Amino acid sequence: MKSHLPYKKRHSAKGQSQRQATNTSVLSAAAFGTALALILTLALSLACALICTASGASDRLMTPLSFISIVVVYFVSGFIGAKKKAAALPVGALCGAILCILSVIASLCLSPSLSSSLPLAVTLLIRLSYIVVSIFGALLGANAPKSHKRNRRRTHA
């Protein structure tokens, strides 16, 4: 069946639909990575609370454990998002940005005094570094080898 559109319009419409499909896959991959990162946040928060409670030195351990868990969550969000076969850089940036926005909202709701304890420039630099960690995770996730389960047959002699 031949289209009645001129050649340029047919191909520009085709390119536009491909761009829309790519944008949709980036958004769905970022949403998937962010959702799993939020679940991981709950699990790591519970683990950190149990470690701090069991050790008795909660003041000393809280800052390093929370920093490690935040970095792990941002890294995993980008890594898992990029595993969904989307463009790594936009997925990592979007996952990191969504998590940054959610963490700012949570910190403002839970304790406004804690969110203003650092200067604005330092806070922005910390948030930017978290987005960079998410992008790094996405780049590693996109370039990681695919794990295929292979059925290995045993040869009997």
Side-chain angles (χ1 to χ4, degrees):
M1 190 181 278
K2 194 151 188 165
S3 176
H4 298 289
L5 294 174
Y7 179 79
K8 274 189 168 180
K9 286 191 178 182
R10 271 194 317 237
H11 287 281
S12 68
K14 187 177 183 182
Q16 185 178 8
S17 65
Q18 287 174 342
R19 281 191 299 276
Q20 287 173 347
T22 303
N23 290 342
T24 303
S25 68
V26 167
L27 289 176
S28 67
F32 182 72
T34 303
L36 287 180
L38 292 176
I39 293 169
L40 181 64
T41 301
L42 292 175
L44 287 176
S45 296
L46 179 64
C48 288
L50 289 174
I51 290 170
C52 287
T53 303
S55 71
S58 62
D59 292 339
R60 252 189 17 207
L61 291 176
M62 186 57 73
T63 301
L65 285 178
S66 62
F67 177 73
I68 290 169
S69 65
I70 287 171
V71 169
V72 167
V73 164
Y74 276 84
F75 180 83
V76 168
S77 72
F79 189 88
I80 290 175
K83 282 291 211 179
K84 295 288 285 181
K85 298 182 181 175
L89 193 61
V91 169
L94 195 56
C95 285
I98 291 170
L99 287 173
C100 276
I101 291 169
L102 291 176
S103 68
V104 167
I105 291 171
S107 68
L108 289 175
C109 291
L110 296 176
S111 178
S113 64
L114 286 178
S115 63
S116 63
S117 63
L118 294 173
L120 180 63
V122 173
T123 304
L124 290 176
L125 192 60
I126 290 171
R127 302 285 183 201
L128 183 63
S129 68
Y130 289 155
I131 294 173
V132 169
V133 167
S134 182
I135 291 172
F136 182 67
L139 291 174
L140 286 179
N143 295 323
K146 306 292 184 216
S147 62
H148 296 288
K149 293 182 180 178
R150 296 181 185 167
N151 294 330
R152 296 182 181 175
R153 295 182 186 178
R154 292 185 181 181
T155 57
H156 296 286

